[in-house]
Amino acid sequence: MKILVPVKRVVDYNVKVRVKADQTGVETANVKMSMNPFDEIAVEEAVRLKEAGIATEVIAVSCGLLSCQETLRTALAIGADRAILVETDVELQPLAVAKLLAAVFKKESPDLVILGKQAIDDDSNQTGQMLGALLGRPQATFASKVVIEGGAAQVTREVDGGLETIKITLPAIVTTDLRLNEPRYVTLPNIMKAKKKPLENVKPADLGVDVTPRLKTLKVTEPPKRSAGVKVPDVATLVAKLKNEAKVI
Amino acid sequence: MALDQETFALLKESVRRFVQERLVPNEDRVEHEDEVPAEIIAEMKELGLFGLSIPEEYGGIGLSMSEEVEIGFELGQTALAFRSVFGTNVGIGSQGILMDGTEEQRRTYLPKIATGEYIFSFALTEPGAGSDAASLKTSAVLDGDHYVINGTKRFITNAVRAQGFTLMARTDAANKGAGGISAFIVPRDTPGITLGKIDKKMGQRGTKTCDVIFENARVPAANIIGGKPGVGFKTAMKVLDRGRLHISSISTGMSKRLLKEAATYASERKQFGQAIAEFQLIQGMLADMQTELYAAESMVRDGAARYDARDPQMPMLAACCKYFTTEAVGRAADRAVQIHGGAGYINEYKVERFYRDVRLLRLYEGTSQIQQLVIARNLLKNLGN
């Protein structure tokens, strides 16, 4: 069984993100970048499936600038067998990424695609679903457990108010939630081995995909500053405020 | 061989994450239990920390000195006891075998040292031979194809964990100086080796040092490093040269941590209605810490780059680095305690422990005074050139 794992290079989760002065986006120059944490969970899951003898090959794929190679090297160090970079300096939106991934899917014919449910930069939560639709294959989003058996995946999904377990026929798309697994520390010997693993570089044109943006970003702004709290003299005032001002009870 | 930037960035990030997410949260446990937890040691082995300095062809990571000090800057940012577990494998315990060992010795020992399967200690210091290491008395007398070893080694780091020792002993009784000393690889299970009780130390709880006593321990003559008697002291000095840069990077990492602890505390602690960081006398201490930290980082990076470029001035420069960075971290710890006020004297605060921990840095692998001598002798020797 072949698994395809798309990974995105994002601003590191520890970085305090700053909006650019001209409000066109966020600062990424000289900012620490790393693999989207949900994608890291996806790579970990794929590698565990390989270690369990269920998968035979794990292929990591990333779309974007040449620097995404570093993110792919991380995936290779976790345990992916090879990597594909779809290199472009065009700003990629979820639909464009989904189309690129669909093209890679057709080339590689994997049995399973595992990717993060969303990226922590734009929080779109669209790529996995769009990929499923473009390929006409089943999807299971927000997975907290994945069991592969008999050409199908039994996936436990984190839905509002509980867990839902569904069975989907392979090939299929699975997007990961936070509790699916805890990714390992990348070991130094495996980082050294990752240097020697193949990393293929293709362009969107090679895949016949037009990645021109369709959405226009009008403005990016900081969220409003949190205003100071108030102290109430007694419980009665608190209850009154919750009822009349906050309208939560 | 130097790694490409991308790979090294990944490596450094992996170590940074491990230090911050696994080691820092376990500092209290190490302090209270006086032991590095077995599961942490297992994780360190898995991560590859035991093989940092051992070349890839012998199963290690093979960092250049420039890369090793960058990793040292990260490793130094937590309780020094953690580094001590693999420190002898990365440094003094293994480097003699790598630098001067025969190919067979390298192939036999280095791969197991690199994975941490073998922990190796360095046995040079004796009750009567500290800074004057060349006067050591442990004897190795040839008997057939074995040497019979007798003597006591003192303050041997990781002896209780070790599977083997890099041992310095006198093979030529007639030569009382450096030329009579040979370096041996001695497996721990050699009959005739016993350990003294574990030393109670001022700080660095979780590190293990003790005496190692050799009574008619028979070691094959083939275990002399490089197969050549009489050059052991040279090997030891070369090993310490590299070790000095490693210790310098660890000291600098700890200076960074102390500054972080002090600056964070000063920003949170309020007196006279404001954070004490607002007061200029506190700011003066923080500025001194930052300046010395920057000086130390710059110096260690330069020293490591020159080591990689085989700069002939290396023994002097390595001594300069060790002298400056270990004294600087001593001053940083003192200021960090001062900024904490009374709280800095309480064991619950990290700076109290670090203050005790860093005291050792100015003593081991050559005291500050030995570094001064190395520096002065070398500069005077080169005066005419």
Side-chain angles (χ1 to χ4, degrees), chain B residues 197-217:
Chain B
K197 66 175 172 32
I198 291 178
D199 301 318
K200 288 184 181 167
K201 301 183 296 299
M202 178 196 281
Q204 297 213 4
R205 286 172 65 80
T207 61
K208 302 292 169 193
T209 66
C210 65
D211 281 3
V212 182
I213 302 128
F214 297 85
E215 284 171 298
N216 297 320

Side-chain angles (χ1 to χ4, degrees), chain A residues 12-14 32 40 66-67 69-70 73-74 77 183-189 191-192 195-196 199, chain B residues 1 3-4 6-7 9-11 13-18 21-22 43 46-49 52 56 61:
Chain A
D12 187 82
Y13 68 97
N14 282 312
K32 190 175 160 202
E40 209 178 325
L66 186 65
S67 50
Q69 273 190 10
E70 197 181 310
R73 288 283 172 212
T74 307
R184 67 194 69 187
Y185 288 96
V186 182
T187 71
L188 311 187
I191 293 173
M192 303 300 284
K195 273 194 308 185
K196 295 175 193 103
L199 198 160
Chain B
M1 197 195 74
L3 296 170
D4 61 286
E6 203 174 81
T7 303
L10 257 176
L11 248 151
E13 173 59 18
S14 194
V15 172
R16 191 200 63 77
R17 219 170 129 177
F18 183 72
E21 292 176 11
R22 290 297 294 150
E43 285 174 38
E46 167 111 27
L47 191 65
L49 292 176
L52 289 176
E56 264 190 288
I61 310 296

Side-chain angles (χ1 to χ4, degrees), chain A residues 28-220:
Chain A
T28 52
N30 296 319
V31 169
K32 190 175 160 202
M33 307 290 282
S34 52
M35 189 190 295
N36 175 34
F38 291 108
D39 295 341
E40 209 178 325
I41 293 170
V43 179
E44 175 69 34
E45 192 66 17
V47 172
R48 285 187 194 185
L49 286 170
K50 193 187 168 196
E51 286 166 350
I54 296 164
T56 48
E57 191 183 24
V58 177
I59 309 156
V61 53
S62 191
C63 307
L65 300 170
L66 186 65
S67 50
C68 294
Q69 273 190 10
E70 197 181 310
T71 313
L72 288 170
R73 288 283 172 212
T74 307
L76 293 170
I78 296 172
D81 298 290
R82 59 188 172 94
I84 302 167
L85 170 64
V86 184
E87 191 193 340
T88 173
D89 52 9
V90 176
E91 179 214 331
L92 292 177
Q93 293 174 347
L95 184 59
V97 176
K99 284 179 182 170
L100 291 171
L101 294 177
V104 173
F105 183 99
K106 283 172 189 155
K107 215 169 111 189
E108 295 286 347
S109 315
D111 303 281
L112 184 66
V113 181
I114 310 182
L115 69 165
K117 67 170 181 177
Q118 67 195 73
I120 61 166
D121 49 4
D122 58 18
D123 278 337
S124 291
N125 189 352
Q126 295 171 348
T127 305
Q129 294 87 328
M130 286 174 165
L131 179 62
L134 287 171
L135 294 169
R137 296 305 313 171
Q139 54 166 312
T141 51
F142 319 137
S144 65
K145 194 177 175 195
V146 177
V147 181
I148 306 289
E149 50 188 7
Q154 188 174 301
V155 180
T156 305
R157 304 179 60 232
E158 301 208 348
V159 292
D160 287 347
L163 298 171
E164 178 192 58
T165 302
I166 60 171
K167 197 169 179 181
I168 51 176
T169 311
L170 300 180
I173 319 297
V174 171
T175 76
T176 62
D177 215 321
L178 201 60
R179 279 160 289 270
L180 178 58
N181 60 48
E182 207 174 304
R184 67 194 69 187
Y185 288 96
V186 182
T187 71
L188 311 187
N190 284 340
I191 293 173
M192 303 300 284
K193 280 180 209 147
K195 273 194 308 185
K196 295 175 193 103
K197 291 182 179 177
L199 198 160
E200 186 191 345
N201 193 322
V202 298
K203 301 278 186 303
D206 304 335
L207 299 169
V209 176
D210 176 14
V211 292
T212 315
R214 294 168 164 240
L215 306 172
K216 197 174 160 202
T217 303
L218 301 178
K219 195 165 70 166
V220 176

